[in-house]
Amino acid sequence: MSQKKPQMQVEQKVPENIVKKNARDTKLREAVAKRRTERLAANKTRRAQWEKNAQAYDNEYKAADKSLVDSLRKAKSEGGFYVPAESKLILVVRIRGINTLNPQVRQTLRLLKLRQLHNAAFVRVNKATIEMIRKVEPYVTYGYPSRAVIKNLIYKRGYAKINGQRIPLTNNNIIEQQLGKVGIHSIEDLVHEIVTVGAHFKEANRFLWAFKLRGPRGGFIAKRRSFINQGDWGNREDLINDLVKRMI
């Protein structure tokens, strides 16, 4: 009987280019996994900071409300009057269109970011802005917005102006990328800066696109008459909040 020859085992060599490709892919996967882990950790830290800031703002608002109530009660108990500080912020709403519009009035409306009918914008109270509003007063109505109205406007109708484009405020990263350098990292930071008319109000307000509102539920009364004459245009003071709620 013939004996079978033992088979020789041939070593399988992996091509060098495959070895290099596998090593490169492994390195890339590890780098991607590392960046993802770092990004998740950074996001968790940022979210915790945003929540901490929001809680601090809420406590600040509650303390301010309590201080106001205490001051009113104290003045009443002493038989006097308490006059709150004048508002540093005005909300302007355009209520008339472009028909028979003076070029100077049109330019002033553009400076106030009121290019279209039913646009609304925040304005810091100073001598220059008061003069601008008086120039266009028959075409706008304005007043002192409450904290709740400011928050609703930004949350429900807020858009960012980035490179001339109207970008929805879908997440805090958009705000952080544009305003992080001035300490505004989240939408709550943005609301707080507008409410308090802080040191970086100019940057925050410039970041916001003009609010596009709808016609008020129930309509206007008389656009060609002033508010004090049972019309619509002019200063409504705190009553601007009722109008804006019907337009959001």
Side-chain angles (χ1 to χ4, degrees):
M1 295 179 64
S2 60
Q3 295 181 352
K4 292 184 177 179
K5 294 181 179 180
Q7 295 180 353
M8 296 179 61
Q9 293 183 354
V10 180
E11 183 181 357
Q12 297 290 334
K13 289 188 176 180
V14 180
E16 186 179 356
N17 63 332
I18 299 298
V19 174
K20 291 182 177 180
K21 180 178 182 299
N22 290 338
R24 183 189 64 204
D25 291 347
T26 301
K27 185 177 180 180
L28 289 175
R29 282 195 298 270
E30 291 175 353
V32 169
K34 182 180 179 182
R35 287 198 300 268
R36 182 175 183 273
T37 302
E38 293 174 350
R39 185 174 67 252
L40 292 176
N43 288 341
K44 184 176 180 180
T45 303
R46 290 206 302 270
R47 283 196 298 270
Q49 185 62 43
W50 296 340
E51 292 175 1
K52 183 179 178 181
N53 290 346
Q55 185 62 45
Y57 298 147
D58 186 57
N59 294 336
E60 179 182 337
Y61 299 148
K62 289 180 180 178
D65 293 340
K66 185 177 183 302
S67 176
L68 177 61
V69 172
D70 291 343
S71 299
L72 290 171
R73 288 176 177 173
K74 182 179 179 181
K76 184 177 180 180
S77 64
E78 295 176 352
F81 297 94
Y82 175 76
V83 180
E86 293 184 1
S87 176
K88 297 182 289 184
L89 182 68
I90 288 177
L91 178 64
V92 188
V93 182
R94 182 170 175 175
I95 62 173
R96 291 179 62 181
I98 62 173
N99 290 344
T100 66
L101 199 61
N102 186 285
Q104 292 183 352
V105 172
R106 182 185 292 111
Q107 181 63 24
T108 305
L109 289 171
R110 287 179 178 177
L111 292 175
L112 293 171
K113 300 198 300 185
L114 305 176
R115 292 175 174 265
Q116 298 175 336
L117 182 66
H118 300 156
N119 276 178
F122 297 119
V123 177
R124 188 205 302 262
V125 176
N126 56 42
K127 182 177 180 181
T129 55
I130 292 298
E131 292 297 327
M132 291 172 66
I133 292 174
R134 285 176 178 171
K135 186 178 293 186
V136 299
E137 197 166 17
Y139 302 89
V140 301
T141 185
Y142 59 96
Y144 311 123
S146 65
R147 190 186 313 131
V149 165
I150 295 173
K151 190 170 185 177
N152 282 340
L153 277 173
I154 295 176
Y155 268 91
K156 295 182 179 180
R157 298 281 180 167
Y159 283 79
K161 184 178 182 181
I162 302 175
N163 297 327
Q165 295 183 333
R166 186 170 179 258
I167 308 297
L169 296 175
T170 53
N171 59 69
N172 289 328
N173 292 330
I174 298 174
I175 299 173
E176 189 170 36
Q177 290 171 4
Q178 300 297 319
L179 299 175
K181 58 186 177 182
V182 296
I184 300 175
H185 302 280
S186 66
I187 194 166
E188 285 295 335
D189 293 341
L190 181 62
V191 171
H192 182 261
E193 192 69 19
I194 296 296
V195 168
T196 60
V197 192
H200 299 288
F201 172 83
K202 182 178 180 180
E203 293 87 344
N205 195 34
R206 184 179 296 174
F207 169 76
L208 288 171
W209 196 283
F211 301 102
K212 293 188 176 184
L213 307 180
R214 62 188 179 188
R217 292 188 298 275
F220 289 105
I221 300 173
K223 293 184 180 182
R224 295 185 179 277
R225 291 206 304 266
S226 66
F227 183 72
I228 59 175
N229 291 320
Q230 291 76 48
D232 288 307
W233 62 263
N235 189 359
R236 295 172 180 254
E237 297 186 353
D238 295 336
L239 296 179
I240 191 67
N241 298 302
D242 297 331
L243 175 66
V244 173
K245 288 177 183 178
R246 292 189 286 121
M247 298 181 73
I248 293 178

